[in-house]
């Protein structure tokens, strides 16, 4: 059975997911945070444009034949879950997709009975204007159960199939805690440094930034290891460099947030590491 995809918000990754669903003719809806319908154009790297229409309120009631994906900023996860929790059946899977940590812990208190997954993607997407998202680079999506959650294999396969149709390629990860820490480490270096120095991701490969890159990786590896996910600074430096190379001309999401005077995800990224260290 194919699950209908429901996407919260018209952020860069949510819009990319909707465009993938539109292209694959996969049943989906995307919901705008505004009360009236909205549209977003998503431009792929070959300049093809897919237009998706985002629905406003009222939000629908979901069943076990639906999946709710929450690709919002870390600090919007709580309000999104509160907005949707009374509309979910106990069989509706929920997939969290945000930078930084803390979402799964929040979900455990707000929607404890829900089958819960987490996903991260290395596809690059940039929201250039309210109605225009650009797919800036191909990547892969990593999907798994949220830490301490386990659901049936049938439901796991259904959620996997949705992502395989809409945001491929997808890799199933049996230890998402490790995958999320790995992504967190990359974000904890690239996001604040690119925002502070006002540079694209690739500039971080220059020699002059290496002292900060190494110091952040050293500190993060120690906290990561103490939290039960063994890591070393050289491993994290390699991971950072790989992402900086692959997304060289992109501006990170935190760079964009600072540039546009928006709230950043620093608390869910660097703040989480500091909190775990304590
Ligand atoms: O937040 C971002 O911008 C992205 O997660 C990443 C991987 C740093 C690439 O720009």
């Amino acid at each position: 059975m194919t699950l209908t995809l429901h996407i919260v918000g018209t952020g860069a990754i949510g819009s990319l997911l909707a465009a993938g669903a539109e292209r694959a003719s996969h049943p989906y809806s995307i919901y705008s945070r505004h009360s009236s319908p909205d549209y977003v154009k998503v431009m792929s790297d070959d300049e093809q444009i897919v237009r998706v229409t985002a629905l406003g309120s009222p939000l629908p009631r979901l069943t076990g034949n639906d999946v709710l994906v929450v690709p919002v900023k870390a600090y919007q996860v709580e309000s999104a879950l509160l907005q949707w929790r009374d509309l979910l059946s106990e069989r509706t899977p929920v997939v969290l997709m945000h930078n930084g940590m803390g979402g799964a812990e929040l979900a455990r208190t707000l929607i404890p009975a829900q089958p819960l997954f987490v996903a991260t993607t290395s596809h690059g997407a940039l929201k250039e204007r309210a109605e225009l998202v650009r797919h800036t680079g191909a990547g892969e999506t990593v999907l798994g159960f949220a830490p301490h959650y386990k659901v049936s294999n049938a439901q796991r396969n259904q959620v996997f199939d949705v992502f395989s149709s809409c945001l491929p390629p997808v890799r199933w990860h049996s230890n998402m805690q490790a995958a999320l820490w790995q992504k967190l480490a990359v974000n904890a270096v690239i996001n604040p440094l690119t925002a502070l120095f006002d540079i694209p991701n690739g500039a971080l490969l220059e020699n002059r930034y290496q002292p900060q890159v190494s110091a952040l990786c050293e500190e993060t590896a120690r906290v990561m290891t103490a939290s039960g996910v063994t890591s070393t600074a050289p491993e994290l430096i390699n991971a950072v460099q790989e992402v900086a190379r692959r997304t060289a001309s992109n501006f990170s999401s935190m760079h964009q947030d600072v540039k546009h005077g928006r709230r950043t995800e620093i608390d869910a990224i660097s703040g989480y590491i500091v909190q775990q260290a304590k």
Side-chain angles (χ1 to χ4, degrees):
M1 189 197 50
T2 302
L3 298 180
T4 299
L5 169 63
H6 298 267
I7 305 162
V8 181
T10 53
I13 298 296
S15 302
L16 196 61
L17 197 53
E22 178 75 40
R23 231 183 269 115
S25 304
H26 189 100
Y28 78 97
S29 295
I30 179 167
Y31 303 92
S32 156
R33 252 153 286 172
H34 313 290
S35 50
S36 51
D38 221 345
Y39 75 93
V40 186
K41 288 193 279 183
V42 181
M43 192 184 285
S44 54
D45 33 11
D46 56 2
E47 307 276 303
Q48 297 238 20
I49 290 184
V50 173
R51 186 187 151 114
V52 298
T53 302
L55 307 175
S57 50
L59 300 172
R61 199 164 272 287
L62 305 189
T63 70
N65 297 338
D66 299 297
V67 53
L68 183 71
V69 180
V70 189
V72 299
K73 295 280 189 189
Y75 53 82
Q76 294 166 332
V77 173
E78 182 171 13
S79 62
L81 294 181
L82 286 172
Q83 196 182 18
W84 279 90
R85 71 171 168 183
D86 294 336
L87 298 167
L88 306 175
S89 103
E90 59 182 28
R91 296 247 329 128
T92 316
V94 174
V95 186
L96 301 177
M97 260 186 122
H98 60 85
N99 276 340
M101 298 285 229
E105 286 90 332
L106 248 177
R108 201 169 305 133
T109 57
L110 296 178
I111 48 167
Q114 227 59 50
L116 192 68
F117 296 76
V118 278
T120 69
T121 187
S122 55
H123 278 280
L126 196 62
K127 189 146 190 172
E128 291 194 339
R129 296 197 295 277
E131 74 297 346
L132 182 68
V133 170
R134 187 185 284 274
H135 187 190
T136 49
E140 71 160 359
T141 304
V142 179
L143 174 72
F145 298 126
H148 315 299
Y149 277 81
K150 201 151 175 27
V151 299
S152 71
N153 276 346
Q155 206 171 32
R156 172 203 123 129
N157 294 342
Q158 287 172 334
V159 173
F160 188 90
D161 287 347
V162 172
F163 278 86
S164 299
S165 301
C166 306
L167 202 56
V170 186
R171 184 158 54 90
W172 178 262
H173 205 303
S174 54
N175 181 358
M176 278 312 279
Q177 189 64 0
L180 292 177
W181 260 106
Q182 185 80 19
K183 171 91 162 88
L184 181 73
V186 169
N187 284 133
V189 178
I190 295 186
N191 294 30
L193 294 184
T194 53
L196 280 173
F197 297 116
D198 191 11
I199 50 174
N201 295 352
L204 279 182
L205 296 165
E206 291 169 23
N207 281 342
R208 60 185 151 150
Y209 298 116
Q210 296 326 300
Q212 279 106 324
V213 170
S214 300
L216 284 168
C217 289
E218 185 67 49
E219 216 174 317
T220 305
R222 287 171 58 188
V223 182
M224 207 167 152
T225 303
S227 305
V229 179
T230 310
S231 184
T232 64
E235 261 169 38
L236 297 186
I237 293 171
N238 270 341
V240 166
Q241 288 180 339
E242 208 242 292
V243 175
R245 248 191 303 274
R246 212 167 18 77
T247 61
S249 56
N250 286 13
F251 286 97
S252 76
S253 53
M254 196 174 288
H255 177 281
Q256 293 290 296
D257 289 338
V258 169
K259 192 112 201 143
H260 294 108
R262 297 188 296 240
R263 181 172 171 186
T264 72
E265 294 179 292
I266 196 77
D267 290 337
I269 299 176
S270 315
Y272 181 84
I273 298 175
V274 171
Q275 185 207 342
Q276 292 302 301
K278 282 185 183 150

